[in-house]
Amino acid sequence: MKVKVLCRNPDDYVRETTRDIQRVPRNYDPTLHPFEVPREYTRALNATKLERVFAKPFVASLDGHRDGISCITKHAKSLSTVISGACDGEVKLWNLPKQECLRTVQAHEGFVRGICSRFCGTSFFTVGDDKTIKQWNLEAPGYGVREEPINTILGKAVFTGIDHHQRESTFVTCGQTVDIWDEQRSSPIRSFSWGVDSFSCVRYNPVETELLASCASDRSIVLYDTRESAPLRKVVMQLRSNTLCWNPMEAYYFTCANEDYNLYTYDIRHLDVPVTVHMDHVSAVLDVDYSPTGREFVSASFDKTIRIFPKDKGHSREVYHTKRMQHVICVRWSADNKYVLSGSDEMNIRLWKANASEKLGLLSTREKAAAHYNKKLIEKFQHHPQVRRIARHRHLPGDILKQKREQREMKEARRRREQNVRKHSKPGSVPLLTEKEKHVVAVVE
Amino acid sequence: MLQKRLALKRFKSQSSSYFADVCLSCPQIQRGIAYEKTAAEVSCWRNIILQNQKAEQMVFPLNQESSGPKRVEQVVAGWKVQTPLEQEIFRLLHINSQPVADPVLTPVEEQSLKAMSLEEAKIRRAELQKARALQSYYEAKAKREKKIKSKKYHKVQKKAKCKDFLKQFDEMVKTNPEGALEELKKMELSRMEERMSLKHQNSGKWAKSKAIMAKYDDSARKAMQEQLQMNKDLTQKIVVPSDDEHESNEEGLETVPDFVNDSEPVIDSVNPWMRGQLTHEEPEVSCVTTEDVQTAEEENEEEELVGEFERKRKLRQADEEDLIPTEEEQPASEVVEDVVEVSDKEEEEEEEEDDDEEEEDVSEFNTLFRLMRSEKTLEDGLLNEGQVRVRNIEDLEVLGEVVDPQPIAEPSLPQTAAVEATSEPPNKKKREIDLKEVLTKEAKAVKVPFLPTVVDEEERDEQISIIKEAFAGDDVISDFIKDKSKREAAGRPEVVDLTLPGWGEWGGVGLKPPRWKRKRFRIKAAPPPPRQDQKLPDVIISENRNASVAAHQVSQLPFPFQNTAQFESSIRTPIGPTWNTQSVVKNMTKPKVITKMGAIIEPMVKEHFIKNKTTTPGGKGPAIMLGENKRAKEGAKRSSEKHRGRRSQKRRK
């Protein structure tokens, strides 16, 4: 005999583990769940508050250097390894998860001016004040064996920066000229100069790998193509740019850190006006690095803070500082888009989270869903005054705040003055310039 | 600038070849050219960058490798061939450009794999899916149609198909004569089959039964005829159509005889053939050539004659109808006739000679009168459609012809065509059943209450009494009304009185300012917008700004939104799991950027994204380097460098 029985699927009501929450059948009838906007608003407000509560970006400090950190670079193939150079010529390799120094090399006499790791992750190059380029093995030498470079090139002048090609065995240095080197040769295969006596930074474009950009001491940024015999073009700005960084996802954009407290993002096809002016620092910006996703970049400043800017926004979304952190000289964004490393004057390398309130480590699906929902809620209600107020609030040290206020006043005064001048001069003789147009002096062909 | 100008001057004075030399060696121009070139090259990223900026979600690293086991050569970077045997083997493999390990693809295969990007593959897949879906729809449709039992339906389908085929065939004759010939052969084959089988020659069971019925039943007769016609059509010898277009046209006409049968199920009792001709005329008129004009005119004249006969006949019919059924009207006509007789009598006294003529006149008058009356009845019919019914199509045709009898009588050909065109459509329209005409009474709208109104009167009374008891002491309702009126009064703007007593006239106690002054100096403010609770008697809605809520409200329209409605709608839709199903929530809250934990996000690689430019040879070499090969490669590189050098030298020149 066949007995017909009503049966239910246990998947619908049995939870997977005893630690799981009870399954509840839902009825989505909107009349049963009224006041959706006020309830979501409350949730958004709570999410914003919690985001601020959990915003603890500082992860670790790596100490061991005996002088200010002058440069940091990421390992090309390993996330956990970082190489840093100090002002006393010492180079240290760090293991980030263990937060310890793996290896110390006395690489140069005087400053280590630049470090870059080879794309294959087997060796790295350093340049220093002693006019040498040295190539080092990334694997530590055996016990009792002296640390010695694989290769040493003696140059004619001091090198101030170095960068390696993304896929080929060539690298570029800058000093009095911008030189392109083959790893196998002891003399540059090509050198560019354009009426400038010193460069502070040179970078390969990571996407269009034959493109180069350099910052020169005559307040200019010069573009090169290694396939061409001459430099391409030069932009002269009002003040000197310290460093620049190419966007790793958008081939024709780069951002430069300027002495006038601002950062400028340029499109190399239209150099006469920067695409965006990023303002928030209150002192000279010393270093800049893009996130590997190309959506944001981090900048280090002489004002003892690092800031994170969205690539197309004029103001920063985040500012990091600690009491003990002095002038930040170099900054790097880790290759997994999770961390930011900053090296500063007071001999420490600091590790920060790129998203201050992000929970680290493996998340359960429910945690992930909640985090996404909260983020979306904050985004949805971002224009509401309370949410905005809480989300935008950041603590700043007193002196930075004071400087900020001061600068605002100065800017306002300048604006008023300009307005008055315009008012009292022949109409049209004092042109109305936008903020973007103010900072570029000339584009030299 | 000055230099440029000087150069220009020089150019004008000296030869052009010299100038060209100067130009190319001038570093500024070199730089300009190089910059333009690079900018153009870099611009190829534009689409990708824009696409990424607009993307709802980006997943990093961009080119994720497939999970699963990997070969040793892929994992270990620095593995080199060491033993002589290995070297020998790999050299052999390299020479034949064969894969080194067994699952590895040859360079050619790899390239072919890379030839289609993910997007292209997706697009292709979507296309295929669509095609498959369409096919399945088509199949399902065909199945459904096949299942339909209605013979008539299939008959109609078949005819439509036949028509289509003929059209196609005509085209084919022009475009693809060989194909047309083949089709012809097929037709010939079918004809032969038909001739052999005698399928449509009324030899079947059905046909026999019809033959018996044909004596009494019209439809059966018709069916039989159709059958025979089909046989005729099928056994007809097909003429090669390329010989004469005219014939093909005729053929096309011959295939349409069926619609003669379809068009009018009601049979004209008077002259069934005429109708056939009339309906048949349409296509003929449409495809008249210059040669046919004369014959057409002849035909036309005949038709005119026939039309006149017909009209007269119908008029007669109408007269008879008028005379017979309407007895109320008879006296009137008699009166008229009497009047006519009276007049006759008067005239008789004067002149008796013109009797005959007068009689004719009278008859004419009568006919005219009748015509007018019939027209009048017709007009009445137009006015109240529900009353006078048009019983059958004959009546309809009468109506149509009475309205415009003259154009039919006119001889010229195009006009008749026009008349047919104009006179037919209304007939057709009338033939369709109009609900308004059929159903003269209006349908009553039945109102059904939403809730059962079965509240007992007693219960309600009880409740009311309870409420009254409860609020016996205080009169809540009147308080409420008072409160509301007070608020309304407060909301109304007050009249501002600016009259100055004693200004321009005598002042004092008990003296009122004059009317003109009051009129002039009492200023009435514009009435406020109507209150929201104006039409709600039991509600007070406060329209004042609430300060405690205002702190949480958006005061300005945020940037990307165009108007408040847009912004409000963006806020109104909830995204939480309380209001939406899981999948919807997941979709709505998906983050913009997803990164894989512990994965290095490499910068974009040009070869992955921009297909047509294959520049670097590094990625496409063999998996394992050999000593010799390396050297060869270096050599190649050097040669390429030399080449570059040459290029630059050329440029310098």
Side-chain angles (χ1 to χ4, degrees):
Chain A
M1 193 179 85
K2 194 177 175 186
V3 181
K4 282 186 181 174
V5 183
L6 275 180
C7 68
R8 293 191 292 160
N9 183 0
D11 283 350
D12 293 337
Y13 57 90
V14 172
R15 50 188 175 161
E16 284 167 16
T17 63
T18 47
R19 298 181 66 193
D20 215 344
I21 51 170
Q22 295 286 355
R23 277 180 178 275
V24 182
R26 291 298 320 273
N27 185 353
Y28 291 106
D29 182 7
T31 54
L32 297 179
H33 308 284
F35 301 117
E36 55 265 19
V37 176
R39 283 166 78 185
E40 284 222 314
Y41 174 72
T42 318
R43 285 181 196 180
L45 207 57
N46 287 340
T48 323
K49 285 172 185 169
L50 283 180
E51 194 211 359
R52 286 291 90 212
V53 166
F54 291 125
K56 305 239 181 284
F58 182 69
V59 179
S61 165
L62 312 174
D63 56 337
H65 273 298
R66 282 171 292 181
D67 209 333
I69 317 290
S70 61
C71 46
I72 304 179
T73 192
K74 299 171 272 188
H75 191 286
K77 292 288 172 198
S78 154
L79 278 175
S80 57
T81 313
V82 160
I83 311 159
S84 67
C87 295
D88 59 350
E90 217 176 39
V91 170
K92 275 180 185 287
L93 255 81
W94 303 91
N95 185 349
L96 287 181
K98 290 183 183 167
Q99 300 173 20
E100 63 179 20
C101 178
L102 296 174
R103 204 171 136 205
T104 309
V105 185
Q106 184 61 43
H108 295 277
E109 290 166 23
F111 278 45
V112 179
R113 290 291 179 181
I115 305 179
C116 68
S117 82
R118 203 171 181 276
F119 59 90
C120 62
T122 52
S123 62
F124 64 95
F125 295 82
T126 58
V127 290
D129 271 357
D130 54 358
K131 304 182 188 173
T132 53
I133 306 168
K134 289 182 178 172
Q135 185 182 7
W136 304 85
N137 205 335
L138 259 168
E139 284 167 35
Y143 182 74
V145 182
R146 270 194 63 190
E147 285 274 11
E148 278 196 346
I150 302 171
N151 207 351
T152 307
I153 300 166
L154 195 60
K156 285 173 191 154
V158 174
F159 298 108
T160 51
I162 185 168
D163 196 19
H164 202 283
H165 191 277
Q166 203 67 29
R167 281 185 289 280
E168 286 168 26
S169 60
T170 56
F171 61 91
V172 61
T173 60
C174 63
Q176 286 187 353
T177 57
V178 170
D179 300 325
I180 295 166
W181 303 75
D182 193 310
E183 281 177 12
Q184 312 295 327
R185 302 190 186 187
S186 59
S187 58
I189 52 177
R190 185 166 306 152
S191 62
F192 296 105
S193 64
W194 188 353
V196 194
D197 57 349
S198 76
F199 294 89
S200 60
C201 167
V202 66
R203 287 283 183 93
Y204 264 113
N205 187 331
V207 187
E208 283 285 342
T209 46
E210 306 304 321
L211 274 181
L212 282 170
S214 70
C215 302
S217 63
D218 69 338
R219 306 172 294 156
S220 66
I221 297 166
V222 191
L223 293 177
Y224 311 89
D225 191 330
T226 54
R227 294 162 295 188
E228 308 292 342
S229 57
L232 300 179
R233 199 157 276 198
K234 183 154 82 168
V235 203
V236 183
M237 303 184 69
Q238 284 197 325
L239 284 181
R240 189 167 69 97
S241 295
N242 285 314
T243 47
L244 60 81
C245 186
W246 292 93
N247 190 327
M249 291 293 158
E250 301 179 354
Y252 44 75
Y253 290 116
F254 69 85
T255 301
C256 62
N258 205 281
E259 283 280 326
D260 64 359
Y261 314 166
N262 296 338
L263 295 114
Y264 301 95
T265 300
Y266 278 99
D267 181 341
I268 60 167
R269 300 167 303 165
H270 314 286
L271 284 169
D272 45 348
V273 176
V275 179
T276 324
V277 182
H278 310 273
M279 311 191 274
D280 260 351
H281 281 296
V282 290
S283 191
V285 192
L286 299 181
D287 200 6
V288 59
D289 192 32
Y290 261 96
S291 79
T293 59
R295 298 286 174 115
E296 289 171 328
F297 60 83
V298 61
S299 65
S301 168
F302 197 74
D303 63 7
K304 306 176 188 174
T305 61
I306 61 177
R307 282 178 185 271
I308 297 174
F309 292 84
K311 67 155 195 263
D312 47 359
K313 292 275 158 56
H315 291 276
S316 58
R317 75 157 170 85
E318 200 68 76
V319 53
Y320 294 159
H321 57 86
T322 59
K323 229 175 195 173
R324 296 184 180 183
M325 188 161 73
Q326 297 301 310
H327 313 305
V328 193
I329 294 172
C330 49
V331 72
R332 284 292 175 272
W333 201 306
S334 75
D336 61 347
N337 198 32
K338 279 271 195 300
Y339 300 97
V340 166
L341 286 151
S342 70
S344 45
D345 248 359
E346 87 311 319
M347 307 180 278
N348 277 322
I349 297 170
R350 289 193 169 76
L351 187 65
W352 310 84
K353 286 196 272 185
N355 284 316
S357 58
E358 190 182 28
K359 195 177 177 192
L360 294 178
L362 217 58
L363 298 183
S364 71
T365 45
R366 216 176 301 134
E367 273 177 315
K368 248 186 233 168
H372 291 162
Y373 178 46
N374 283 345
K375 211 170 178 186
K376 198 74 188 178
L377 275 181
I378 296 171
E379 194 193 313
K380 183 182 167 187
F381 289 96
Q382 62 185 337
H383 303 295
H384 288 246
Q386 293 292 313
V387 174
R388 193 166 61 183
R389 182 180 63 81
I390 297 166
R392 286 177 60 178
H393 178 75
R394 295 287 180 281
H395 171 72
L396 271 185
D399 49 342
I400 294 177
L401 211 62
K402 211 160 66 186
Q403 273 179 338
K404 209 174 172 183
R405 212 172 294 140
E406 220 168 67
Q407 276 169 21
R408 200 183 301 142
E409 268 167 32
M410 285 160 68
K411 203 177 167 188
E412 180 59 23
R414 231 174 280 140
R415 194 187 63 82
R416 210 181 310 126
R417 181 190 168 83
E418 198 183 310
Q419 228 171 26
N420 288 340
V421 167
R422 189 170 297 122
K423 212 183 281 173
H424 294 289
S425 51
K426 193 180 162 191
S429 61
V430 183
L432 199 68
L433 286 177
T434 59
E435 187 63 38
K436 286 175 189 172
E437 289 163 345
K438 275 177 194 167
H439 304 281
V440 177
V441 175
V443 179
V444 186
E445 283 184 17
Chain B
M1 285 304 288
L2 199 97
Q3 280 176 352
K4 265 189 184 173
R5 254 177 234 161
L6 282 178
L8 258 179
K9 270 185 188 175
R10 230 179 276 157
F11 167 67
K12 277 169 189 169
S13 62
Q14 292 178 359
S15 68
S16 60
S17 64
Y18 173 77
F19 178 69
D21 268 6
V22 168
C23 249
L24 283 180
S25 61
C26 172
Q28 194 179 354
I29 291 165
Q30 265 189 26
R31 283 196 295 261
I33 292 167
Y35 175 76
E36 297 286 316
K37 206 174 141 198
T38 314
E41 195 184 348
V42 163
S43 296
C44 69
W45 286 98
R46 196 170 152 266
N47 285 334
I48 291 166
I49 288 172
L50 283 179
Q51 192 186 324
N52 287 353
Q53 280 172 354
K54 281 177 192 166
E56 273 185 27
Q57 190 174 47
M58 290 277 288
V59 182
F60 293 101
L62 286 175
N63 283 33
Q64 284 196 350
E65 290 172 16
S66 57
S67 58
K70 284 176 192 166
R71 278 172 286 114
V72 180
E73 298 87 52
Q74 284 176 341
V75 179
V76 182
W79 187 68
K80 274 184 185 172
V81 177
Q82 280 169 346
T83 62
L85 178 65
E86 279 176 346
Q87 274 183 353
E88 194 67 28
I89 289 168
F90 280 110
R91 186 172 299 141
L92 265 176
L93 285 174
H94 277 303
I95 286 166
N96 297 325
S97 72
Q98 284 299 310
V100 178
D102 124 283
V104 181
L105 307 166
T106 59
V108 180
E109 284 168 336
E110 243 170 49
Q111 273 195 350
S112 68
L113 264 185
K114 278 182 186 174
M116 190 182 275
S117 73
L118 185 64
E119 274 78 44
E120 282 170 36
K122 272 182 184 166
I123 289 166
R124 174 113 181 95
R125 212 178 114 216
E127 274 173 9
L128 281 176
Q129 255 176 354
K130 200 181 169 187
R132 239 175 283 139
L134 279 178
Q135 196 187 352
S136 71
Y137 292 152
Y138 187 75
E139 275 171 8
K141 198 184 165 193
K143 229 180 200 174
R144 237 185 297 126
E145 280 175 357
K146 210 181 165 191
K147 267 190 181 172
I148 293 172
K149 282 183 182 168
S150 159
K151 274 184 185 165
K152 193 170 181 187
Y153 171 80
H154 283 293
K155 212 187 273 172
V156 170
Q157 285 295 91
K158 220 184 253 175
K159 270 171 200 164
K161 253 182 214 167
C162 190
K163 238 182 210 175
D164 267 0
F165 172 74
L166 271 172
K167 244 183 215 168
Q168 274 181 6
F169 184 74
D170 281 353
E171 271 177 29
M172 224 183 205
V173 167
K174 281 168 197 163
T175 54
N176 184 11
E178 289 170 17
L181 262 181
E182 274 181 27
E183 290 296 323
L184 258 184
K185 272 178 193 168
K186 270 186 202 168
M187 278 156 112
E188 183 64 32
L189 206 76
S190 71
R191 179 177 152 263
M192 279 156 75
E193 271 176 13
E194 172 63 26
R195 286 186 64 179
M196 281 182 338
S197 69
L198 306 177
K199 193 180 171 189
H200 292 106
Q201 286 191 334
N202 292 353
S203 55
K205 204 174 178 188
W206 173 84
K208 275 172 189 165
S209 70
K210 285 283 160 184
I212 295 163
M213 290 293 288
K215 237 182 214 173
Y216 314 103
D217 194 358
D218 250 359
S219 62
R221 204 182 306 148
K222 210 184 256 172
M224 252 176 72
Q225 243 149 31
E226 256 175 54
Q227 190 86 336
L228 282 173
Q229 181 66 37
M230 197 177 275
N231 180 39
K232 225 184 214 172
D233 288 344
L234 283 170
T235 51
Q236 198 176 33
K237 183 116 187 178
I238 299 148
V239 191
V240 180
S242 55
D243 297 343
D244 195 10
E245 263 189 52
H246 192 71
E247 278 187 341
S248 73
N249 257 348
E250 279 186 349
E251 242 184 11
L253 285 174
E254 273 182 77
T255 53
V256 209
D258 327 302
F259 95 36
V260 176
N261 303 326
D262 282 320
S263 63
E264 283 178 83
V266 179
I267 302 154
D268 196 335
S269 56
V270 185
N271 193 351
W273 301 336
M274 280 317 297
R275 185 183 314 285
Q277 234 182 19
L278 279 172
T279 45
H280 210 82
E281 188 188 43
E282 213 173 37
E284 271 187 347
V285 168
S286 64
C287 61
V288 163
T289 53
T290 47
E291 302 168 5
D292 293 348
V293 169
Q294 278 202 335
T295 53
E297 273 181 2
E298 286 170 13
E299 279 180 10
N300 233 27
E301 281 172 8
E302 286 174 10
E303 274 165 35
E304 277 165 31
L305 279 174
V306 171
E308 270 188 7
F309 283 132
E310 183 108 336
R311 206 180 72 231
K312 278 182 183 171
R313 198 192 69 237
K314 265 159 197 170
L315 272 177
R316 213 186 309 134
Q317 258 186 356
D319 288 359
E320 282 167 10
E321 276 177 10
D322 274 353
L323 286 175
I324 298 159
T326 55
E327 291 194 341
E328 296 170 2
E329 286 175 353
Q330 256 188 342
S333 63
E334 279 175 358
V335 166
V336 172
E337 279 172 1
D338 285 354
V339 170
V340 169
E341 279 171 11
V342 167
S343 67
D344 282 358
K345 279 169 189 172
E346 285 173 4
E347 281 170 337
E348 260 184 317
E349 288 174 2
E350 291 173 6
E351 334 167 284
E352 290 181 359
E353 300 162 1
D354 302 332
D355 246 6
D356 299 333
E357 288 180 28
E358 271 181 354
E359 266 181 274
E360 280 178 21
D361 278 351
V362 166
S363 67
E364 270 188 31
F365 177 72
N366 280 347
T367 49
L368 262 178
F369 186 74
R370 274 168 199 160
L371 248 176
M372 276 170 68
R373 207 170 50 185
S374 70
E375 272 180 48
K376 208 179 174 185
T377 52
L378 194 144
E379 275 178 2
D380 283 353
L382 278 174
L383 281 173
N384 45 351
E385 291 179 346
Q387 295 286 322
V388 179
R389 283 312 308 153
V390 181
R391 293 272 150 63
N392 52 19
I393 288 151
E394 288 178 23
D395 295 5
L396 261 174
E397 279 171 2
V398 170
L399 283 177
E401 278 173 349
V402 166
V403 169
D404 43 9
Q406 285 156 347
I408 290 179
E410 274 172 23
S412 72
L413 169 102
Q415 284 242 348
T416 48
V419 166
E420 292 228 335
T422 50
S423 61
E424 261 189 48
N427 285 359
K428 274 186 184 170
K429 263 185 203 167
K430 284 276 165 101
R431 251 168 251 163
E432 284 174 3
I433 295 165
D434 192 0
L435 262 187
K436 277 181 190 170
E437 284 179 356
V438 176
L439 307 173
T440 49
K441 275 188 180 178
E442 277 191 20
K444 274 184 189 172
V446 182
K447 285 177 185 174
V448 181
F450 286 107
L451 289 170
T453 54
V454 213
V455 179
D456 285 337
E457 286 290 304
E458 290 176 19
E459 250 180 60
R460 197 192 284 162
D461 286 345
E462 229 173 82
Q463 274 194 342
I464 287 171
S465 67
I466 287 169
I467 289 169
K468 270 183 184 169
E469 233 174 83
F471 295 100
D474 42 10
D475 194 357
V476 188
I477 295 166
S478 67
D479 278 358
F480 180 84
I481 291 167
K482 264 182 206 168
D483 194 17
K484 190 173 177 180
S485 63
K486 214 184 274 174
R487 276 165 191 263
E488 274 172 5
R492 245 173 261 138
E494 285 175 7
V495 177
V496 184
D497 195 357
L498 294 174
T499 50
L500 289 174
W503 187 260
E505 85 233 328
W506 289 106
V509 183
L511 280 177
K512 266 189 179 176
R515 231 174 74 193
W516 66 267
K517 224 180 194 181
R518 267 182 285 155
K519 220 177 193 177
R520 190 163 170 196
F521 291 106
R522 280 165 65 101
I523 298 160
K524 276 183 191 171
R531 288 176 65 89
Q532 281 190 330
D533 54 10
Q534 200 179 24
K535 285 172 186 173
L536 305 170
D538 325 337
V539 184
I540 297 174
I541 298 174
S542 167
E543 288 172 44
N544 294 338
R545 186 166 175 270
N546 191 344
S548 62
V549 175
H552 294 272
Q553 283 174 331
V554 182
S555 56
Q556 276 182 334
L557 189 66
F559 159 61
F561 299 101
Q562 303 276 322
N563 48 36
T564 46
Q566 229 176 54
F567 177 62
E568 276 167 5
S569 75
S570 85
I571 293 295
R572 207 180 302 127
T573 44
I575 51 173
T578 320
W579 299 276
N580 299 304
T581 55
Q582 202 180 4
S583 58
V584 172
V585 171
K586 203 176 170 187
N587 197 29
M588 282 172 116
T589 61
K590 67 181 178 190
K592 275 191 178 158
V593 172
I594 290 181
T595 54
K596 198 179 162 198
M597 195 183 245
I600 292 178
I601 301 169
E602 297 278 0
M604 275 186 181
V605 181
K606 195 169 187 180
E607 286 78 50
H608 293 174
F609 291 93
I610 294 165
K611 278 277 147 52
N612 48 7
K613 295 198 175 179
T614 48
T615 46
T616 55
K620 276 161 194 168
I624 297 163
M625 297 293 284
L626 282 175
E628 280 185 13
N629 242 25
K630 200 173 182 182
R631 242 172 274 146
K633 210 177 172 187
E634 273 179 15
K637 199 186 268 173
R638 254 169 231 159
S639 71
S640 72
E641 270 164 22
K642 272 180 203 166
H643 188 73
R644 266 175 214 156
R646 251 176 249 150
R647 197 176 66 166
S648 59
Q649 276 174 4
K650 265 182 199 168
R651 219 173 255 170
R652 254 172 240 145
K653 278 171 194 171

